[in-house]
């Protein structure tokens, strides 16, 4: 059954031009990072460097739009960067991008190459549909601190993704909770590309199509469905 993704009116008022493209995948086979997924990340870093042409990631027009949006809901964008900017900064360091597992490597590569926030959620751990809303501050965000599970609460007004159980990602796409992360046991997932103007529908579709093609390449036999921007 197709996962329901809902964007609240409050979020649409905050960022009227926001769109997202979803890719739903079933029958995935994940595993530890490989030479091929590692090479994909290295290539993404090279593509990013060409795109930026000496600029810092936060100077890219799409990242400027995300910084403005983070500021609009009360978050300091230089302290809590959107996921694409945070990855891009790491990609340009000597250490480079982290190697997590094949599926995460693939979507991180697309995020960096196209400078667009991309998330991956394990569908077997999502309860009900996913909603993008502004938090009341009472929602539960289960995370891990110091090796121990702990419950945090978002700030009132913060933009969050959540399901029937609780928050799945804080500050729009800043920090994902461990409950729905893609692990080496993941077989079904939803991948979400999040876009603001000046990123165009054609550009977001190009990035999503590349991600879908890579998923088919790295997990042959999986059923991949691309859902156009909403």
């Amino acid at each position: 059954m197709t996962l329901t993704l809902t964007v609240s009116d409050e979020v649409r008022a905050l960022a009227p031009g926001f769109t997202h493209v979803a890719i739903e995948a079933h029958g995935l086979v994940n595993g530890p990072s490989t030479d091929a997924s590692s090479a994909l990340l290295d290539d993404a870093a090279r593509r990013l460097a060409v795109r930026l042409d000496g600029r810092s990631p936060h100077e890219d027009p799409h990242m400027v739009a995300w910084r403005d949006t983070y500021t609009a809901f009360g978050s300091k964008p230089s302290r809590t960067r959107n996921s694409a900017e945070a990855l891009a900064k790491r990609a340009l360091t000597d250490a480079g991008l982290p190697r997590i597992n094949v599926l995460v490597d693939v979507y991180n590569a697309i995020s960096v190459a196209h400078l667009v926030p991309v998330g991956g959620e394990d569908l077997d751990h999502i309860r009900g549909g996913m909603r993008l809303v502004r938090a009341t501050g009472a929602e539960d965000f289960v995370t891990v601190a110091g090796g121990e599970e702990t419950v945090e609460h978002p700030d009132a007004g913060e933009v969050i993704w959540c399901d029937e159980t609780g928050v799945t990602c804080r500050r729009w796409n800043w920090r994902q909770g461990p409950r729905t992360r893609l692990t080496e046991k993941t077989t079904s997932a939803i991948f979400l590309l999040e876009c603001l103007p000046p990123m165009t529908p054609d550009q977001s579709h190009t990035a999503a199509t590349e991600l879908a093609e890579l998923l088919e390449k790295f997990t042959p036999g999986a059923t991949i469905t691309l859902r156009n921007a909403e």
Side-chain angles (χ1 to χ4, degrees):
M1 188 172 72
T2 299
L3 178 74
T4 301
L5 298 166
T6 305
V7 179
S8 73
D9 290 342
E10 284 186 322
V11 172
R12 293 202 182 279
L14 178 75
F18 171 71
T19 61
H20 60 273
V21 185
I23 298 170
E24 193 162 331
H26 299 274
L28 297 166
V29 178
N30 200 9
S33 299
T34 63
D35 289 344
S37 70
S38 183
L40 194 66
L41 290 168
D42 289 339
D43 181 62
R46 287 190 290 269
R47 290 168 66 182
L48 172 69
V50 171
R51 175 190 177 115
L52 291 175
D53 192 24
R55 295 174 300 163
S56 296
H58 71 266
E59 296 175 288
D60 179 89
H62 195 208
M63 297 298 94
V64 170
W66 275 105
R67 282 188 163 229
D68 290 345
T69 300
Y70 269 49
T71 300
F73 67 80
S75 183
K76 295 182 179 179
S78 59
R79 292 184 57 190
T80 55
R81 295 179 175 87
N82 75 79
S83 63
E85 184 184 328
L87 276 175
K89 283 182 65 66
R90 295 188 70 172
L92 297 175
T93 66
D94 291 339
L97 289 163
R99 274 59 174 165
I100 308 297
N101 57 56
V102 168
L103 291 178
V104 175
D105 291 352
V106 167
Y107 82 70
N108 278 350
I110 293 298
S111 178
V112 168
H114 292 270
L115 262 186
V116 57
V118 183
E121 306 281 352
D122 190 318
L123 285 173
D124 289 332
H125 296 282
I126 296 291
R127 299 293 173 259
M130 289 180 61
R131 296 174 292 117
L132 188 66
V133 302
R134 299 197 71 173
T136 66
E139 298 88 351
D140 288 343
F141 178 69
V142 180
T143 186
V144 176
E148 299 291 331
E149 186 176 283
T150 184
V151 177
E152 298 177 356
H153 302 285
D155 298 326
E158 179 183 324
V159 177
I160 56 171
W161 278 103
C162 59
D163 65 1
E164 291 180 0
T165 298
V167 180
T168 58
C169 196
R170 285 197 59 189
R171 293 187 182 135
W172 212 310
N173 49 48
W174 165 67
R175 184 179 176 196
Q176 185 184 28
R179 171 170 61 93
T180 59
R181 286 176 185 162
L182 304 189
T183 71
E184 293 178 18
K185 296 180 180 179
T186 297
T187 58
S188 295
I190 189 89
F191 300 88
L192 200 62
L193 294 82
E194 300 185 296
C195 316
L196 291 169
M199 191 170 194
T200 67
D202 283 348
Q203 289 171 327
S204 60
H205 182 76
T206 296
T209 299
E210 185 178 347
L211 176 53
E213 290 172 349
L214 286 172
L215 291 170
E216 291 173 349
K217 174 184 176 181
F218 278 85
T219 61
T223 301
I224 312 294
T225 303
L226 195 157
R227 296 160 57 180
N228 289 327
E230 298 178 18

